[in-house]
Every structure is written in C-alpha cells, then in structure tokens.
C-alpha cells in the first residue's frame, strides 16, 4: 500500500478549522459560519445567518456572541460599519454581497 493510500492519511482538500473558527462553530448554531474578517485588534468575526448573530473570537480565545437584535446595528452592514469605525478591519470584511464592498469603497474614496 502506498503512503498516499494509507487509511490514516487525509484526503486532498480536507482542512481542519483554525482555533478561532473552531471556537466560533461551538458558539453559533450554524455549523459553518461565514468568515467576515479580522478586525484591527486581531479578533476574527464570523456571521451566523440562522441566529442573525456575530461571533467575535479574539486571538486569546476570548469570545463574544452578539445578536444584532440586541444592538443598534440591525444589519450585517451596520455591524461591519461599526467594526470599521471602532477597530478597523485588518482583513475583510468578506461578505458575499456588494453592499459592504460599496460602503467600503465610499469610505475610502
């Protein structure tokens, strides 16, 4: 049996989540929350569309789940703007829609 066919080898394309993503998965209902980005303080933000909540996971694994209904930021765009204003984005935000991209372009123009 070749090494690549051994029963203990992982298949190509299989990746383990990083510690911040693993923590977010435990905190949120959605099995694979959407990675939004990393703020200026190094905390990773993950979006759960089922709960309409954001998990904020710091590098030291301190976590916070923020339900947007409990904040003045009723939308994901609002949360992304708030994060930009308070901490900035070191990476992202990565959101599938173009609204956040449009807002980011306007802010940087």
């Amino acid at each position: 049996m070749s090494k690549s066919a051994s029963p203990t080898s992982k298949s190509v394309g299989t990746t383990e989540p990083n510690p911040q993503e693993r923590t977010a998965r435990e905190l949120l209902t959605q099995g694979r929350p959407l990675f939004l980005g990393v703020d200026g303080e190094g905390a990773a933000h993950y979006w759960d569309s089922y709960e309409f909540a954001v998990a904020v996971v710091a590098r030291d694994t301190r976590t916070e789940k923020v339900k947007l209904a409990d904040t003045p930021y009723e939308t994901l765009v609002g949360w992304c703007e708030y994060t930009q204003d308070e901490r900035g984005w070191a990476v992202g935000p990565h959101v599938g829609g173009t609204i956040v991209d449009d807002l980011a372009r306007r802010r940087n123009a």
Side-chain angles (χ1 to χ4, degrees):
M1 180 182 291
S2 73
K3 184 175 181 178
S4 63
S6 72
T8 58
S9 66
K10 291 184 181 180
S11 64
V12 176
T14 302
T15 59
E16 293 294 320
N18 67 45
Q20 288 177 313
E21 182 179 351
R22 214 174 14 257
T23 301
R25 286 180 178 186
E26 293 169 5
L27 192 62
L28 299 170
T29 301
Q30 193 169 349
R32 299 204 76 178
L34 173 69
F35 172 70
L36 295 175
V38 177
D39 67 31
E41 296 179 7
H45 294 238
Y46 293 86
W47 171 246
D48 184 329
S49 60
Y50 295 134
E51 290 188 73
F52 218 69
V54 175
V56 181
V57 184
R59 279 184 266 177
D60 63 5
T61 65
R62 283 180 297 127
T63 62
E64 179 180 10
K65 179 166 77 174
V66 181
K67 292 192 176 203
L68 295 188
D70 298 337
T71 72
Y73 316 102
E74 297 176 8
T75 65
L76 181 55
V77 171
W79 178 262
C80 290
E81 289 175 342
Y82 163 75
T83 302
Q84 175 62 40
D85 292 344
E86 292 296 315
R87 300 178 176 190
W89 287 102
V91 176
H94 301 291
V95 179
T98 60
I99 295 172
V100 173
D101 293 337
D102 291 345
L103 289 170
R105 275 189 226 104
R106 279 190 227 140
R107 292 183 75 86
N108 294 328

